[in-house]
Amino acid sequence: MELLSNLSLGFSHALSWENLLFCFIGVSVGTFVGVLPGLGPLAAISICLPLTYYLDPTTALIMLAGIFYGAQYGSSTAAILLNIPGTSTAAVTCLDGYPMTQQGRGGVALLITTITSFLGSSFAIMLVMIFGPVISNFAMNFSSAEYFTVMLVGLIAASTLSVGSPTKGIVMVIAGLAISMIGTDSYTGQYRFTFGILDFAEGVSLVALAMGLFGIAEILKSLSGSGPIEIDSKSITFRSMIPTRDDVRRIWLPTLRGASVGSVTGAMPGAGPALASFLAYAVETQVSRKPEIFGKGAVEGIAAPEAANNASVQTAFIPTLTLGVPGDVVMAVLLGALMIHGITPGPNFIAQNGPMFWGLLASFWIGNFMLLILNIPLIGIWIKMLAIPPRILYPVILSLVCIGVYSIRNNVFDVYLMLGVGVVSFVLDIFRYPTAPLLLGFVLGPLMEQHLRRALLLSRGEISTFVERPISLIFLVIAALLLLRLVPFRAMAAKLRKNTG
Amino acid sequence: MQKSRLAALSLKWGDKLVAGAIMVIALAFTVTAYSYSIGSVARIGPGMMPFLIGTCLFIAVGFVILWPSQEKLDTVRVPVVRMLALLGSIVIWALTIDRFGLVPATVLLMILATAAYKPIRWRSTAIVIAATTAGCVLLFVYGFKLPFDIVSF
């Protein structure tokens, strides 16, 4: 009963004209960047971040979240039609989606991904509604020691479970923590690492850092990329999208399994939608009676991963909003957006910001419904977006990026900072240093320092406080296990043997 | 063959160079942190957390250097002149925004940024520049009421 009254509160907020408008803008921008290979939701959210300064926090969050889940819908379009995943989450969709296009069933694949994405999202939204407040109540028992250790686990998991070298991921997350130390120490008022530059006194701007890392670096990468893609959008008609009765019968269970896998994965720190879709696909190949059909245009092979990645995007809000621990970098940026407005997510978030929490959840449903409308009849328009030449698209984005960064403090220093960060990010990307963990470390750094200080102050300097509290101990053990996975025991033993002759 | 071997070699050394640079930065960061007050365990000072972070960074990057990952690095084409044009467009924007206002800064940025992409079609570029500049003025100056000078000389 309480859930229903909360939901009605949420819908009353989400259905205001302003929230509806920005939800629509968010899902449209999300679909757009999802369709375009290269420019992902993270870059789009970073670019839109300055706009949120001028919006109500709920409206801002609704728009940014809309970009995130809208991109999951859009990314499958390029994956199915061109075998190019718009984002990493749609890489699995290529496996069976593109063979369906080759068989002349691209329209069916697009409709199935849209419907299963909607079902996966709806399943996960219900889980967030039920479990969000439960986890929030549980986290009320957390003290600073638990917060510090849970953030530690979040950071280590995010950097070691992501794609690429886990050691380089750890380096980047610590680099992010280091950058977050620049500025004025909030306890003593001492300037740290400002080197006499007053612009650093308030710390490094989150917007300049995010735009440099993801916006500028992405634009620089575009210079060595290929030109626009040629595709016949007239070949996808509404009639060509209608699935057969057999298709419909075959997608229900994979959708449910995918949504379940995605929901669990999304709530775990560091896992993210890409891992969710890979896991869902792996589960399907294991449980199927005909595993040989996968990779040859099986509808199950697109239904399960699409339901999974959309479900994971929704449940990723559980740890972010109830614990204040973002599971991945997109969530870190959203957390940063809330902090810009003076709102710190945590166990008290739902109690203190009920209309915002329930309004956001209600907007998820509204946004997903908008995406159904945007994706089915307007598919031809999204396909045409693939043909926008980089010489038009990127200069336009660049001008928006510069205006956005400058407008935060009316200071060109942030523009130069963004430029420098962009160049460094481009170089780091060549050598496979993942830049996403850096931003995660940057957002969590000040919070970690605050909780470390408070925990040690309350325990009168007893470091054992972190192991004496059971929940904190569990998190420490998890962090240690994650770190132990990284130690190259075999390589070290081989090197020792070699050295000792 | 010779060229690709050279590229692989430069990538390998580049990887070491990047890791080495991070190590130097980590060391400088730790030393600078130590110059701030470290405090005690019960009341940690402004230097404690950065000192711990710098030390962890130094150790972590040490692992990268000693046990490099086996993943293969791809050679990336870096069109220097075009990249400089793109980066220069941002510098030009930053140099002109306060002196000349939003419209001249945006127009200059777009001209230089478009020049980074080939082939340049000036007619369509002019239309895009006009539309983008007008859109930016409408959105940021009139929509969000940001304190930008549209044109100032």
Side-chain angles (χ1 to χ4, degrees):
Chain A
M1 200 61 197
E2 197 189 342
L3 184 70
L4 285 178
S5 69
N6 285 331
L7 256 182
S8 82
L9 171 76
F11 273 105
S12 68
H13 271 77
L15 286 171
S16 72
W17 74 266
E18 195 183 10
N19 287 339
L20 277 176
L21 174 70
F22 281 95
C23 183
F24 179 75
I25 292 171
V27 295
S28 305
V29 171
T31 310
F32 175 63
V33 296
V35 170
L36 291 173
L39 200 70
L42 191 55
I45 289 174
S46 305
I47 290 164
C48 290
L49 205 53
L51 299 182
T52 63
Y53 276 80
Y54 311 99
L55 298 174
D56 170 72
T58 311
T59 312
L61 201 59
I62 285 173
M63 184 182 79
L64 297 180
I67 296 174
F68 190 25
Y69 57 78
Q72 311 305 318
Y73 277 77
S75 62
S76 52
T77 304
I80 289 167
L81 297 178
L82 302 159
N83 207 24
I84 301 167
T87 61
S88 59
T89 56
V92 182
T93 312
C94 291
L95 299 178
D96 283 284
Y98 189 62
M100 283 182 77
T101 302
Q102 288 174 316
Q103 293 158 16
R105 303 186 71 221
V108 175
L110 287 171
L111 187 78
I112 288 175
T113 54
T114 307
I115 289 171
T116 53
S117 297
F118 181 76
L119 294 174
S121 296
S122 301
F123 180 84
I125 294 166
M126 282 193 281
L127 290 183
V128 180
M129 284 175 172
I130 296 164
F131 288 108
V134 175
I135 293 171
S136 225
N137 286 336
F138 170 70
M140 289 282 190
N141 302 318
F142 280 21
S143 70
S144 283
E146 279 87 4
Y147 273 116
F148 178 77
T149 48
V150 75
M151 283 176 190
L152 195 66
V153 170
L155 284 183
I156 296 172
S159 50
T160 57
L161 298 179
S162 58
V163 183
S165 159
T167 333
K168 285 181 176 174
I170 290 277
V171 167
M172 294 308 281
V173 99
I174 305 173
L177 289 172
I179 296 170
S180 76
M181 295 293 117
I182 297 171
T184 312
D185 176 36
S186 56
Y187 275 62
T188 60
Q190 182 171 353
Y191 287 165
R192 296 188 294 195
F193 307 101
T194 53
F195 306 109
I197 303 166
L198 273 180
D199 298 289
F200 273 138
E202 287 177 46
V204 172
S205 154
L206 168 72
V207 177
L209 188 70
M211 290 225 201
L213 284 176
F214 308 110
I216 300 297
E218 204 58 58
I219 293 170
L220 286 176
K221 274 186 245 169
S222 76
L223 283 176
S224 43
S226 54
I229 295 152
E230 301 290 334
I231 186 161
D232 178 18
S233 59
K234 285 177 187 156
S235 62
I236 308 293
T237 60
F238 187 69
R239 185 168 288 215
S240 75
M241 289 181 166
I242 298 168
T244 63
R245 196 172 284 183
D246 183 51
D247 288 332
V248 176
R249 185 184 58 78
R250 284 166 55 192
I251 60 169
W252 286 110
L253 275 175
T255 303
L256 191 63
R257 281 192 290 264
S260 309
V261 169
S263 299
V264 174
T265 317
M268 284 160 48
L275 185 66
S277 53
F278 273 99
L279 277 180
Y281 191 81
V283 167
E284 283 313 306
T285 55
Q286 294 302 313
V287 301
S288 173
R289 286 181 192 157
K290 295 179 194 165
E292 68 277 3
I293 62 169
F294 286 90
K296 294 169 189 164
V299 284
E300 296 90 337
I302 54 169
E306 283 299 317
N309 67 41
N310 284 278
S312 76
V313 165
Q314 309 295 349
T315 53
F317 281 89
I318 295 178
T320 310
L321 296 181
T322 60
L323 300 175
V325 178
D328 67 5
V329 70
V330 178
M331 285 294 138
V333 177
L334 291 177
L335 187 77
L338 281 174
M339 285 157 77
I340 285 167
H341 288 278
I343 298 162
T344 309
N348 292 320
F349 177 77
I350 300 176
Q352 288 172 353
N353 301 282
M356 181 188 277
F357 178 77
W358 295 105
L360 180 68
L361 292 192
S363 83
F364 287 168
W365 248 318
I366 296 166
N368 275 283
F369 189 71
M370 284 177 180
L371 282 163
L372 266 185
I373 299 166
L374 278 173
N375 275 271
I376 297 174
L378 304 181
I379 198 77
I381 294 174
W382 297 119
I383 294 167
K384 279 182 188 151
M385 296 293 178
L386 285 164
I388 297 178
R391 71 188 160 80
I392 292 177
L393 183 68
Y394 289 113
V396 173
I397 291 175
L398 202 59
S399 55
L400 293 176
V401 161
C402 285
I403 296 170
V405 169
Y406 176 82
S407 67
I408 308 293
R409 300 196 283 196
N410 278 348
N411 190 347
V412 287
F413 177 80
D414 286 343
V415 180
Y416 291 123
L417 183 68
M418 171 191 76
L419 179 70
V421 171
V423 175
V424 171
S425 173
F426 177 74
V427 174
L428 288 172
D429 190 73
I430 294 173
F431 295 103
R432 301 279 169 86
Y433 281 85
T435 44
L438 187 143
L439 200 65
L440 207 59
F442 177 78
V443 171
L444 286 184
L447 293 172
M448 283 185 83
E449 186 182 25
Q450 186 189 328
H451 286 299
L452 177 71
R453 271 181 159 155
R454 203 176 289 164
L456 290 174
L457 195 67
L458 291 173
S459 68
R460 295 171 192 233
E462 289 295 328
I463 297 174
S464 56
T465 187
F466 293 104
V467 288
E468 279 167 359
R469 302 181 69 91
I471 300 171
S472 170
L473 178 65
I474 291 168
F475 287 134
L476 272 184
V477 170
I478 296 170
L481 288 174
L482 284 168
L483 277 177
L484 274 178
R485 279 178 60 246
L486 295 182
V487 181
F489 289 113
R490 283 185 189 169
M492 286 163 92
K495 204 163 192 174
L496 272 175
R497 271 199 298 272
K498 201 176 163 188
N499 289 345
T500 52
Chain B
M1 190 69 182
Q2 190 71 19
K3 215 173 185 180
S4 66
R5 207 176 281 173
L6 267 175
L9 200 68
S10 64
L11 274 176
K12 193 182 163 190
W13 281 105
D15 197 21
K16 285 191 192 300
L17 195 72
V18 169
I22 298 174
M23 195 169 227
V24 170
I25 293 168
L27 193 65
F29 189 84
T30 314
V31 171
T32 312
Y34 195 71
S35 70
Y36 305 132
S37 165
I38 296 287
S40 64
V41 183
R43 197 175 281 272
I44 64 176
M48 175 76 91
M49 186 77 171
F51 181 78
L52 293 174
I53 290 170
T55 311
C56 289
L57 185 59
F58 188 82
I59 295 168
V61 81
F63 267 84
V64 174
I65 292 170
L66 288 174
W67 292 280
S69 75
Q70 298 304 311
E71 63 179 339
K72 195 175 167 286
L73 297 171
D74 300 319
T75 46
V76 177
R77 198 169 56 86
V78 182
V80 180
V81 177
R82 292 165 66 201
M83 263 183 193
L84 285 176
L86 203 73
L87 298 174
S89 71
I90 301 173
V91 175
I92 290 285
W93 191 90
L95 288 173
T96 50
I97 183 70
D98 285 336
R99 278 181 220 169
F100 303 113
L102 183 63
V103 170
T106 307
V107 169
L108 286 172
L109 174 140
M110 297 257 328
I111 291 171
L112 205 54
T114 310
Y117 293 92
K118 285 175 186 172
I120 304 163
R121 291 174 189 147
W122 289 111
R123 200 169 159 192
S124 62
T125 301
I127 296 168
V128 173
I129 290 173
T132 308
T133 311
C136 287
V137 170
L138 284 175
L139 180 69
F140 294 102
V141 179
Y142 295 109
F144 289 110
K145 311 261 184 246
L146 297 187
F148 278 117
D149 285 333
I150 297 175
V151 182
S152 68
F153 286 103

